[in-house]
Amino acid sequence: MSNASIRYRTIIVFNGETSAAYNRIQLSALLSGDADEESLALKPDSWFARHGIQLHHGEAVRTVAPDSHTVTTSTGRVYRYDSLVIATGASPTRLGIPGEGLSGVMNFRDLNDTRTLIELSQSRKRAVVVGGGFLGLEAAEGLKRRGIDVTVLHRSSHLLNRQLDPDGGKLLSDALTARGINILTSTSPIQLLGRDTVRAVQLNDQTLISTDLVIIATGITPNRELAQNAGLACGRGIQVNAQLQTSAPDIFALGECCEFNNETFGLVEPGYQQAKVLASVLSGTTASAAYKPSVTATRLKISGVPVFSCGQQAPDEHTESLVWRDFATGSYSHLLIRNNRLVGAILVGNTSQGLWYQELITGNTTIDLFRAQLPFGKPFCKAAA
Ligand SMILES: Cc1cc2nc3c(=O)[nH]c(=O)nc-3n(C[C@H](O)[C@H](O)[C@H](O)COP(=O)(O)OP(=O)(O)OC[C@H]3O[C@@H](n4cnc5c(N)ncnc54)[C@H](O)[C@@H]3O)c2cc1C
């Protein structure tokens, strides 16, 4: 950052939200009551001031004009740039069904959503969460902890289907059910009912679930409109090359709003890696800086149950599976092996060996010396090798 601030005399951050930058991941802890707002702060405003960075909270960029190298913000002011970085994140995907505009139909994306959910949890008794991915499950857990009766609706046949296999998903579902969260899989809502406020959710088998709150967590859509309206190349997200450069040479994009090699992103780790590369590119410290997606692992704690997944997640005709399950401790591991190498790991309950499995996957390490011990982790494998 200091190199960048030498190269760029002025750095201005336009933040569409009114609050200072905060740790979005911690919104789940805020909702469940495990964290307070103060603990979410990333850096105090004084830190940015000390590094010559001007912050404009609550001032969204409305248009970008690549020809004149300017942006216009919600205040109507126009600012000139030499380099522009777009990091607009993503928005919750809409369901596209009747009743979505009713009061009490919410998202779980930012601090304002979380504050509203906490406030509503004091007067509402029942909630339906649409989407059994990590965000929906964290919303469900948070609301449950605030005394609300929660039902999760999930379209796929098992929870966290992007991270887990069916058995791992079932184990998680059993753990959440034991905590009093109702889980309905292989189902979708077709309509939300109510006069002004949502009162019921109608499912595709016509079942009605009465509720006072609906949280939609069915995925995210990259915020690419700013770039699209400026004529930049976009697919699902804002298209970038390995230097995070868009189709306009002085405009860069990273995080959930960008698309690299047809891939978009929904976790923090790729964003951190991209930020490192972009800092090098903009400060000119490493001429060869290039973003190369690595095998990123998903490490989550859903309702107190640790979950880890990395690499290939579904077996195919070229993989062999090593599956180990301990009913007593609720631990499950599914390791996928191809050509004597670990290519995928799914862990539920005990994820302490996740990092090591990730190293084996990224290192393309042969496992023949300790294959039998692999499900038990590094110490057993080292002893066997
Ligand atoms: C509740 C919750 C829990 C999560 N937990 C995890 C987790 O455990 N692990 C994990 O890896 N990931 C988690 N994520 C995902 C993670 O938070 C995101 O991947 C990450 O925040 C993306 O970073 P980003 O900078 O691309 O976008 P964002 O963090 O969304 O930041 C984009 C910012 O740009 C602002 N903006 C948008 N348009 C404009 C504009 N025109 N002008 C100015 N500002 C604008 C937005 O308001 C927003 O503040 C979680 C997300 C949520 C919502």
Side-chain angles (χ1 to χ4, degrees):
M1 191 55 79
S2 54
N3 279 328
S5 51
I6 292 165
R7 184 159 179 194
Y8 297 98
R9 219 167 324 132
T10 314
I11 297 176
I12 308 180
V13 178
F14 295 104
N15 167 16
E17 296 185 58
T18 46
S19 30
Y22 57 87
N23 184 343
R24 196 172 301 284
I25 288 183
Q26 283 295 93
L27 291 177
S28 306
L30 182 64
L31 181 62
S32 63
D34 286 336
D36 55 20
E37 277 196 22
E38 289 68 49
S39 67
L40 265 61
L42 287 177
K43 293 238 187 300
D45 281 1
S46 56
W47 183 92
F48 291 96
R50 228 180 22 257
H51 289 81
I53 301 167
Q54 296 173 23
L55 300 176
H56 293 234
H57 300 313
E59 186 173 355
V61 173
R62 293 278 184 247
T63 55
V64 174
D67 291 343
S68 58
H69 277 62
T70 56
V71 299
T72 306
T73 72
S74 50
T75 63
R77 279 193 284 259
V78 178
Y79 297 81
R80 222 195 105 72
Y81 65 82
D82 294 318
S83 305
L84 175 69
V85 175
I86 303 180
T88 45
S91 299
T93 304
R94 291 176 61 82
L95 286 174
I97 60 172
E100 236 177 317
L102 289 168
S103 159
V105 180
M106 301 269 315
N107 294 128
F108 181 35
R109 175 73 201 181
D110 61 24
L111 188 54
N112 275 341
D113 293 337
T114 316
R115 285 175 178 155
T116 310
L117 283 171
I118 292 171
E119 196 190 312
L120 290 177
S121 70
Q122 286 159 16
S123 56
R124 312 278 166 108
K125 300 261 177 298
R126 295 156 303 182
V128 169
V129 175
V130 186
F134 77 88
L135 207 53
L137 297 182
E138 291 194 341
E141 159 76 358
L143 291 169
K144 181 74 196 162
R145 296 265 297 274
R146 289 190 178 265
I148 294 200
D149 253 354
V150 184
T151 299
V152 175
L153 308 178
H154 191 47
R155 193 168 51 181
S156 162
S157 59
H158 68 275
L159 295 180
L160 276 189
N161 56 295
R162 296 184 66 175
Q163 284 86 18
L164 297 180
D165 62 354
D167 285 345
K170 172 79 171 59
L171 202 82
L172 183 62
S173 175
D174 290 348
L176 296 180
T177 305
R179 281 163 207 257
I181 296 174
N182 308 311
I183 310 279
L184 298 179
T185 51
S186 305
T187 190
S188 299
I190 54 166
Q191 180 164 207
L192 308 179
L193 304 164
R195 191 184 287 267
D196 301 309
T197 301
V198 68
R199 291 288 170 227
V201 177
Q202 186 173 9
L203 305 184
N204 49 2
D205 65 358
Q206 305 308 322
T207 306
L208 282 180
I209 303 177
S210 58
T211 190
D212 332 292
L213 198 57
V214 171
I215 294 91
I216 299 172
T218 48
I220 53 171
T221 306
N223 290 330
R224 57 174 190 193
E225 296 72 21
L226 207 55
Q228 211 164 24
N229 295 337
L232 306 188
C234 290
R236 217 176 103 69
I238 308 166
Q239 288 168 340
V240 293
N241 64 17
Q243 281 67 47
L244 288 317
Q245 186 183 41
T246 67
S247 56
D250 299 317
I251 305 182
F252 301 81
L254 79 167
E256 285 184 348
C257 66
C258 82
E259 176 183 317
F260 175 73
N261 276 351
N262 296 321
E263 192 188 350
T264 53
F265 308 89
L267 292 169
V268 284
E269 196 45 43
Y272 289 149
Q273 291 169 7
Q274 292 165 358
K276 244 186 186 164
V277 171
L278 186 53
S280 298
V281 169
L282 292 179
S283 61
T285 47
T286 320
S288 58
Y291 174 61
K292 191 165 162 279
S294 56
V295 182
T296 46
T298 308
R299 189 180 286 278
L300 302 164
K301 202 166 204 169
I302 309 291
S303 203
V305 182
V307 168
F308 173 94
S309 94
C310 182
Q312 186 172 337
Q313 162 220 98
D316 60 32
E317 68 272 29
H318 306 294
T319 58
E320 302 163 83
S321 290
L322 283 182
V323 179
W324 184 77
R325 182 173 176 165
D326 180 353
F327 287 92
T329 58
S331 301
Y332 171 79
S333 83
H334 182 174
L335 305 176
L336 289 138
I337 293 165
R338 187 170 59 225
N339 297 334
N340 240 347
R341 287 169 172 81
L342 187 64
V343 291
I346 295 167
L347 311 175
V348 180
N350 180 355
T351 57
S352 58
Q353 297 303 312
L355 186 62
W356 186 59
Y357 291 139
Q358 187 179 358
E359 283 167 17
L360 292 180
I361 293 170
T362 42
N364 202 22
T365 314
T366 48
I367 52 142
D368 44 351
L369 290 179
F370 48 78
R371 181 185 160 123
Q373 286 75 24
L374 198 59
F376 307 107
K378 186 174 180 178
F380 287 87
C381 293
K382 288 278 166 218

